[in-house]
Amino acid sequence: MSRLDFTDVTVRFGSGRGAIVAVDGATLSVPEGRIVGLVGESGSGKSTLARAAVGLVPLHSGAIALDGQPIPRHGPRRLQMVFQDPNSSLDPRMTVEESIGEVARFPANRAERRAEVARLLDLVHLDQSHATAYPAQLSGGQRQRVALARALAGRPDVIIADEITSSLDVSIQGTVLNLVRELQAELGLSMLFISHNLAVVRYVASLVAVMYRGQIVEHGPTEAVLGHPDHPYTRRLLAAIPTRSQRKPTP
Amino acid sequence: MPARLPRPGRPAGGRSRRVLHALRTPIGATAAAMMALVALTAIVAPILWTDRANAHETASILAGPSAEHWIGTDAAGRDLFFRVLVATRLSVLLALGSTGIAVGIGLLLGTAPVLVGGWVSRAVTWFVGIAVAFPGFLLALFFAVIFGAGQTAAAFAIGLAGAPTFARLCQTLTGGIMNRDYVAAARIGGVSKLRLLTRHILPNIAEPLIVNATIGAGGVLLSFAGLSFLGLGVSAPAYDWGRLMYEGLSGIYIHPVAALAPGLAVMIAGMAFNLVGESAARALGLAALGELVPTHRLRRPAPLAAPMGSDEPDDGAVLRVRDLTVAFPTPAGPIHPVRGISFAVPAGGAVGLVGESGSGKSLTALAVAQLIEAPGEVGASELTFAGEAILGGDPRAHRHLLGTSLAMVFQDPMTSLNPTMRIGWQLAEVVREHGGASRQEGWERAVERLSAVRIADAPRRAHAYPHEFSGGMRQRAMIGMGVMGSPRLIIADEPTTALDVTVQEQVLDLLGSIRAADGVALLLISHDVSVVATVCDRVLVMYAGRIVEELAVDRLYGGARHPYTRLLVAAVPDMDTDLATPLPTIPGRPAPVSAIAQGCAFAARCPLADAVCRETDPEMVDDGRGSRVACWHAGEPFPDDAVPTVAVPVAVPQGESRGNAGGFAAADAGAAGAADCPVAGSPLAGSPTPTPEGGSA
Ligand SMILES: Nc1ncnc2c1ncn2[C@@H]1O[C@H](COP(=O)(O)OP(=O)(O)O)[C@@H](O)[C@H]1O
Ligand code: SF4
Ligand SMILES: [Mg+2]
């Protein structure tokens, strides 16, 4: 497996005085075989950082490296990404099999591709009968599993998961989180797990980094960061989680 | 021609059904009939009547309408009626050809940015931007003069002139698809650009493109007639409708029909194309450019004094609902997404309604607000709002009451706000519409309400447009709009689902404080129990169109008795969740409203289900202490092995790693993780911390 390093990454949109600095000198590592949680409010630059890693947005300065090497932009992708909204991350006109098969890395022919898709569906606990389904025929949770299977189809070394449970019902969120932990344990994946929900990050990630206004303001083992938050923003995030103990007084 | 673009958020699928449905509407049927007539004439007329159309009758030159020549003859004594019919084929073919050229070039230019990046793509975009600015017919004239007369030249002239419009359309459509995550996913997956174009982009833009091309063909037909009419198009001996008009022009005063008949034919065929395109657009859910803003069912309260409840029942409920049902007809018979629910919201109280997507929460809210549209049907033995029965009776009076005393807040404020209007004016409009306040008063009230919902610097921010607000601010502005009047009840349907936790907290806080300050009751709908628990006093739990449990919020954690409630509560991870075990999840999927089986609707997913449950639906039982529950085994402990705590059915052989899956993620320093990490010798081999020193600021 592999490690992913962001070194002093800056991403800007636009130029001149109107330029927006979305990521501002972020430095962060995803060590081999670990899940790193990246938390922060929307607009803090989490998704931009992720998109920069997979080459969807250009870097202004800094470097992103996979095992110390620049990330190849051609040939097999060792870095894969899963998106927030499974409604828009699957082509509505392609079946599950076509979507997954399109990025599958090794199959040489139809039969092998089929087998590979079957293996991947199995991995994400989807019934084989779903192979020929279109996204519209699946529930949100099932679509998100297909998206995960597609990411795994590239046999990646690192996966970036960007808010993958945010658009799901809480009752389904659990199954996806369990799946993430299970896949990580089975395949030893390294993963950057982005979320604005600290309780979710706490559950899947052993390390956590907090992003605020484009910068990484705090990082470390999850227990330490959540147990003894240093940065005021981290404390605010913690306070915002609805918990059973913290009920607002009612009039 | 306004371009037709896909409406956002329209689900795919069911297209042919929608098209068939469109054919059954009067306009759709007319369009189809006209199109069939034009096509039939184009095919048949030249075969049957070419001879008659070309036969010279020197005896009757420039004759008027007669029994023999229905609309007379031309200067060479040829029958005009048959000439118009025979001209159909050439006219239509030329129009289609030109449209084809326009679409082809448009596609090439419009999708070029996908294949070539950098300056070429920017240059193409720039060029198209300039080209669309020229009036199409002038361009066509320009090209026609360059290419010279003749039908091929004219076809190219008109095709080229139409290309910029289609290029722009393709650019817009392609841009929309390129922004979708599935394109990003394909690119990350190493899919080639060409394949991206053919597999992802073309299929997804084809539909609107074809519809627009059909509508465009109608216009092209007209342009062609124009060119031929000017003598620049089809030249003798060939003739299309424009040519016939041109020839008829000389005698227009003696013999007007000669020029008018081909003109009429152009109109009919043009309309056929237009109508077909338009009805297809409507059937497929494509919106015209100007109306991309979805109109939303939004109820705007006015500042009129709420009718105070002289006739209000003494239990003080602002809303009382008994046996509420919502039904929709489907081809397979009616479905009942809401199946007889009863509840009350006390004046000034806060009630939460929770359940998974599709359980009927939103429909319940819409039914209460009388926003269910036909063919949906709402029934109830009682539906009382602010002391007034609002089901049946004079709908206008109810609308007034609801309009002034009920506020609704939806999940996505962007669909409820007008993007082209300043926020302040949108709020002000509410009081101006219902309360007859002046512009000035309305604006002042808007600014005051915006600060009340904690929009910082409200006097200045009131001038902003919705897109200049963040999601949280928009939601607060929506709530501000809701309290422009003095509502008795706010119904908020998933108001924070699209928001960050910190922003969610602010919005919930705001709802809570409005409630405290103004005594407004709140019905808060969410799929997330923990959201409801922070604001509400009482919680209704809904499953498959029924309320299965009602309880005080402090009993939610620990005191809930319905298995579904207990599982919903357990499914939300919080900061105390045990990291060593998989998250509890609710197995299976929500019962589809179309096929609710006999017995308890939850039986298929319930760890306590037995034969009785599958046989008979449990009645709601009130415990007399303010809780009610519908379950045969309410409050019984879950069996240890029937494991609602096992998340996903285990399909993969697990070996020993399975048991440790939980421990792994919990591993703070990686010891447990290393043990079951199947690959790395030590997962920490690289670096002990996620960030090299100096990463913080
Ligand atoms: N206009 C409609 N026609 C037919 N079925 C509908 C319509 N609107 C909603 N439904 C169905 O009613 C059920 C409940 O929907 P809804 O009230 O939106 O649930 P919730 O808000 O709990 O997610 C769903 O299965 C949905 O598909
Ligand atoms: S009635 Fe039976 S199946 Fe239904 S919730 Fe209760 S125990 Fe489960
Ligand atoms: Mg809903």
Side-chain angles (χ1 to χ4, degrees):
Chain A
M1 287 302 114
S2 302
R3 57 178 285 132
L4 179 67
D5 297 285
F6 298 82
T7 315
D8 208 12
V9 170
T10 297
V11 178
R12 286 195 194 200
F13 295 112
S15 56
R17 274 195 302 138
I20 295 166
V21 182
V23 177
D24 189 4
T27 297
L28 171 70
S29 291
V30 181
E32 272 189 23
R34 304 287 293 274
I35 299 184
V36 175
L38 181 60
V39 295
E41 62 192 353
S42 62
S44 62
K46 307 184 299 289
S47 294
T48 308
L49 193 66
R51 288 175 164 264
V54 293
L56 291 175
V57 298
L59 294 188
H60 178 72
S61 62
I64 304 177
L66 199 57
D67 293 330
Q69 303 293 316
I71 299 168
R73 291 284 167 243
H74 297 283
R77 305 302 169 102
R78 297 173 55 202
L79 190 59
Q80 285 290 339
M81 181 157 165
V82 184
F83 297 84
Q84 165 170 357
D85 184 0
N87 297 325
S88 104
S89 72
L90 297 175
D91 189 329
R93 281 160 214 267
M94 282 168 91
T95 62
V96 165
E97 193 168 41
E98 286 167 338
S99 279
I100 299 177
E102 184 176 55
V103 288
R105 210 162 118 190
F106 296 114
N109 55 40
R110 260 194 118 81
E112 274 181 41
R113 184 183 300 268
R114 235 253 165 116
E116 173 72 355
V117 170
R119 182 187 74 87
L120 290 161
L121 287 180
D122 219 33
L123 212 52
V124 296
H125 305 313
L126 270 179
D127 197 84
Q128 298 299 333
S129 63
H130 291 123
T132 51
Y134 285 92
Q137 294 165 288
L138 303 176
S139 71
Q142 289 172 328
R143 276 178 231 166
Q144 205 54 293
R145 284 160 199 245
V146 174
L148 263 169
R150 178 181 55 193
L152 293 171
R155 304 268 175 113
D157 299 322
V158 181
I159 285 190
I160 298 181
D162 188 3
E163 300 270 13
I164 59 171
T165 62
S166 302
S167 59
L168 303 179
D169 260 25
V170 279
S171 63
I172 296 160
Q173 168 178 277
T175 61
V176 173
L177 294 181
N178 287 335
L179 179 63
V180 164
R181 294 206 334 178
E182 203 184 298
L183 289 174
Q184 199 275 339
E186 263 170 42
L187 308 176
L189 288 173
S190 321
M191 187 182 281
L192 183 64
F193 186 95
I194 301 175
S195 175
H196 64 252
N197 188 331
L198 274 186
V200 164
V201 163
R202 170 182 172 274
Y203 189 69
V204 296
S206 52
L207 300 161
V208 67
V210 181
M211 198 158 182
Y212 185 62
R213 302 208 168 162
Q215 304 184 331
I216 304 286
V217 293
E218 190 161 5
H219 60 85
T222 307
E223 219 160 88
V225 172
L226 302 189
H228 311 280
D230 281 334
H231 197 273
Y233 177 68
T234 315
R235 277 185 232 128
R236 235 171 66 214
L237 261 183
L238 274 166
I241 301 173
T243 58
R244 39 199 82 178
S245 47
Q246 177 214 8
R247 285 248 310 129
K248 301 261 146 50
T250 43
Chain B
M1 159 192 83
R4 303 278 142 169
L5 296 178
R7 259 180 213 287
R10 187 82 186 211
R15 284 182 174 75
S16 41
R17 193 160 32 87
R18 286 208 294 272
V19 170
L20 277 182
H21 184 78
L23 274 181
R24 272 186 243 121
T25 65
I27 293 187
T30 315
M34 281 172 77
M35 197 62 171
L37 186 73
V38 171
L40 194 72
T41 315
I43 295 168
V44 171
I47 303 173
L48 295 182
W49 300 310
T50 303
D51 291 344
R52 293 180 72 173
N54 290 338
H56 298 259
E57 248 181 71
T58 30
S60 52
I61 285 174
L62 280 179
S66 65
E68 209 172 323
H69 306 291
W70 290 0
I71 52 174
T73 57
D74 67 1
R78 291 172 295 204
D79 184 282
L80 273 174
F81 179 70
F82 289 111
R83 284 181 79 75
V84 169
L85 289 186
V86 172
T88 307
R89 182 186 283 179
L90 185 60
S91 304
V92 169
L93 281 183
L94 285 176
L96 290 180
S98 284
T99 311
I101 292 170
V103 172
I105 298 176
L107 258 176
L108 220 56
L109 290 179
T111 56
V114 177
L115 296 179
V116 294
W119 68 268
V120 182
S121 128
R122 276 195 299 279
V124 169
T125 311
W126 175 83
F127 171 74
V128 169
I130 295 206
V132 279
F134 283 100
F137 195 66
L138 277 189
L139 268 186
L141 274 180
F142 171 75
F143 286 124
V145 170
I146 292 183
F147 296 160
Q151 55 195 51
T152 322
F156 272 97
I158 292 177
L160 278 183
T165 314
F166 282 99
R168 168 56 68 80
L169 178 70
C170 291
Q171 272 176 5
T172 312
L173 292 171
T174 306
I177 303 294
M178 286 297 279
N179 281 335
R180 309 308 297 267
D181 288 341
Y182 59 78
V183 171
R187 284 168 65 189
I188 298 168
V191 171
S192 74
K193 285 175 169 178
L194 192 62
R195 193 181 152 82
L196 207 61
L197 186 66
T198 54
R199 284 299 280 145
H200 291 283
I201 293 173
L202 291 185
N204 281 298
I205 69 173
E207 211 167 74
L209 198 61
I210 291 170
V211 167
N212 280 287
T214 311
I215 298 174
V220 167
L221 204 69
L222 267 172
S223 306
F224 234 108
L227 273 195
S228 294
F229 185 66
L230 293 174
L232 285 170
V234 177
S235 41
Y239 53 97
D240 68 343
W241 289 327
R243 180 84 204 168
L244 291 179
M245 279 157 71
Y246 171 70
E247 290 170 359
L249 191 66
S250 50
I252 184 106
Y253 293 113
I254 354 165
H255 186 15
V257 198
L260 291 183
L264 189 71
V266 169
M267 256 182 58
I268 292 176
M271 255 171 73
F273 278 111
N274 256 303
L275 283 180
V276 165
E278 294 283 347
S279 9
R282 194 160 320 155
L284 298 169
L286 307 180
L289 257 185
E291 46 175 85
L292 261 182
V293 189
T295 46
H296 211 290
R297 21 176 215 195
L298 166 67
R299 193 158 297 280
R300 298 179 157 181
L304 304 176
M308 283 315 281
S310 51
D311 49 352
E312 215 156 287
D314 12 350
D315 69 354
V318 63
L319 175 68
R320 264 183 313 128
V321 175
R322 198 165 296 154
D323 304 323
L324 178 75
T325 56
V326 178
F328 289 99
T330 71
I335 54 165
H336 295 87
V338 177
R339 304 184 294 147
I341 66 173
S342 306
F343 65 93
V345 180
V351 174
L353 182 58
V354 296
E356 289 163 285
S357 300
S359 55
K361 308 181 299 291
S362 298
L363 287 179
T364 302
L366 294 176
V368 166
Q370 306 272 288
L371 292 176
I372 301 270
E373 276 160 27
E377 261 179 52
V378 179
S381 60
E382 178 180 359
L383 189 53
T384 315
F385 176 63
E388 211 172 287
I390 51 171
L391 203 61
D394 178 8
R396 276 209 318 241
H398 305 330
R399 288 212 176 280
H400 182 75
L401 172 68
L402 291 167
T404 53
S405 307
L406 176 68
M408 301 254 334
V409 178
F410 295 102
Q411 170 171 342
D412 181 4
M414 210 48 192
T415 59
S416 318
L417 289 169
N418 180 346
T420 61
M421 200 173 164
R422 295 179 197 280
I423 299 263
W425 287 126
Q426 297 195 45
L427 267 69
E429 203 184 46
V430 175
V431 281
R432 280 163 40 80
E433 223 169 68
H434 292 266
S438 73
R439 261 175 92 81
Q440 187 57 31
E441 286 162 358
W443 181 265
E444 277 163 16
R445 172 89 176 152
V447 170
E448 188 263 312
R449 290 282 87 180
L450 285 176
S451 10
V453 294
R454 300 180 207 147
I455 301 276
D457 197 7
R460 196 173 57 82
R461 289 294 179 84
H463 290 281
Y465 289 98
H467 72 265
E468 298 174 75
F469 274 24
S470 68
M473 282 163 72
R474 281 199 287 264
Q475 197 55 290
R476 274 179 276 161
M478 270 309 297
I479 296 172
M481 190 182 275
V483 294
M484 277 301 279
S486 17
R488 306 280 311 276
L489 173 66
I490 298 177
I491 298 183
D493 188 359
E494 305 271 9
T496 62
T497 301
L499 304 175
D500 275 6
V501 264
T502 42
V503 185
Q504 160 172 302
E505 190 204 21
Q506 292 161 12
V507 169
L508 293 180
D509 232 28
L510 175 66
L511 285 172
S513 64
I514 284 177
R515 176 185 160 217
D518 305 339
V520 185
L522 179 65
L523 180 63
L524 178 63
I525 298 175
S526 179
H527 66 98
D528 186 341
V529 188
S530 62
V531 165
V532 156
T534 53
V535 193
C536 297
D537 315 324
R538 302 195 62 74
V539 179
L540 306 164
V541 183
M542 197 158 176
Y543 186 77
R546 287 254 164 102
I547 288 177
V548 296
E549 182 164 19
E550 173 175 358
L551 69 175
V553 77
D554 46 21
R555 299 193 53 185
L556 204 48
Y557 298 103
R561 291 183 299 151
H562 197 283
Y564 182 59
T565 314
R566 285 148 67 192
L567 288 171
L568 266 187
V569 168
V572 188
D574 66 10
M575 299 310 280
D576 309 318
T577 300
D578 181 7
L579 295 176
T581 54
L583 274 177
T585 58
I586 311 178
R589 288 175 69 171
V593 287
S594 51
I596 289 171
Q598 191 190 5
C600 175
F602 191 56
R605 308 170 72 188
C606 179
L608 293 178
D610 61 14
V612 180
C613 302
R614 280 182 267 271
E615 195 63 35
T616 326
D617 203 5
E619 290 283 320
M620 185 68 101
V621 178
D622 204 320
D623 73 350
R625 292 177 293 136
S627 288
R628 42 186 189 132
V629 64
C631 173
W632 294 119
H633 302 289
E636 289 176 19
F638 290 148
D640 286 339
D641 54 336
V643 217
T645 50
V646 165
V648 273
V650 180
V652 186
Q654 296 291 324
E656 69 267 32
S657 71
R658 169 77 192 169
N660 286 340
F664 177 67
D668 45 43
D676 61 21
C677 178
V679 184
S682 157
L684 293 179
S687 140
T689 59
T691 312
E693 21 338 299
S696 34

